[in-house]
Amino acid sequence: MDSRLLELLVCPVTKGPLRYDRERQELISHSARLAYPVRDGIPVLLETEARTLSDEELQR
């Protein structure tokens, strides 16, 4: 994931920052408690495609 692109992207729900999880290929929104998938290098920033984060995952 290009770091310049990551600086421009925001959570579509909260408009807050996203953190890239390279291992899981996801963009993490702590404020929305959602993880958006990155497929073939393309972020899928749809709430319907995101998975809900557990309390344990949010503490990482």
Side-chain angles (χ1 to χ4, degrees):
M1 170 83 35
D2 185 351
S3 62
R4 291 177 292 171
L5 175 61
L6 188 56
E7 290 175 14
L8 297 173
L9 295 177
V10 295
C11 174
V13 175
T14 65
K15 308 300 186 247
L18 295 167
R19 179 182 58 81
Y20 181 55
D21 183 340
R22 185 180 310 271
E23 183 179 302
R24 296 190 73 141
Q25 292 293 299
E26 293 177 325
L27 291 171
I28 307 298
S29 171
H30 284 273
S31 55
R33 300 178 59 100
L34 294 172
Y36 298 95
V38 177
R39 297 186 185 127
D40 298 322
I42 300 170
V44 181
L45 296 176
L46 299 172
E47 189 176 358
T48 56
E49 294 288 321
R51 68 178 183 84
T52 304
L53 295 170
S54 68
D55 290 335
E56 181 182 296
E57 289 176 303
L58 284 171
Q59 292 176 0
R60 285 189 219 165

